[in-house]
């Protein structure tokens, strides 16, 4: 069972992703894009160890999202949007690790 209070990125929890509130919409997408931009910028100040820790944490979160994505009762478009941003964030972390 997934911890519903587990953070996905910094300002979202699993509860918000799999729940009806907040609803999927342009406001949520904008918040998610802003969050991604901030997180991406914050990676510049991280050392290799910190980046590896963040990467492992995000991979764990992605695995949980992937596991839940098949549940028909959940909003598939909402799950897909978060999965896409999470995949992009993981790719960004991996790219940053290669630069160090």
């Amino acid at each position: 069972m997934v911890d519903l209070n587990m953070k996905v990125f910094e300002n979202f929890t699993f509860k918000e992703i799999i729940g009806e509130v907040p609803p999927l919409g342009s406001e949520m997408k904008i918040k998610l894009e802003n969050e991604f931009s901030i997180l991406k910028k914050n990676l510049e100040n991280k050392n290799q160890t910190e980046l590896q820790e963040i990467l492992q944490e995000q991979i764990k979160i992605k695995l949980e999202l992937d596991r839940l994505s098949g549940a028909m009762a959940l909003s598939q478009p909402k799950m897909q949007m978060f999965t896409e941003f999470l995949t992009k964030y993981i790719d960004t972390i991996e790219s940053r690790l290669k630069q160090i």
Side-chain angles (χ1 to χ4, degrees), residues 8-9 12 24 28-37 39 58 62 65 77-93:
V8 179
F9 301 121
F12 293 96
L24 176 62
M28 177 179 273
K29 185 172 182 174
I30 290 168
K31 286 173 70 174
L32 193 53
E33 287 171 345
N34 290 338
E35 175 103 5
F36 176 76
S37 294
L39 290 171
Q58 297 305 312
K62 184 170 183 315
L65 276 176
K78 193 174 183 182
M79 296 285 288
Q80 183 179 4
M81 183 176 71
F82 273 91
T83 300
E84 287 172 6
F85 273 94
L86 190 54
T87 300
K88 193 163 57 167
Y89 186 46
I90 289 170
D91 290 345
T92 303
I93 296 167

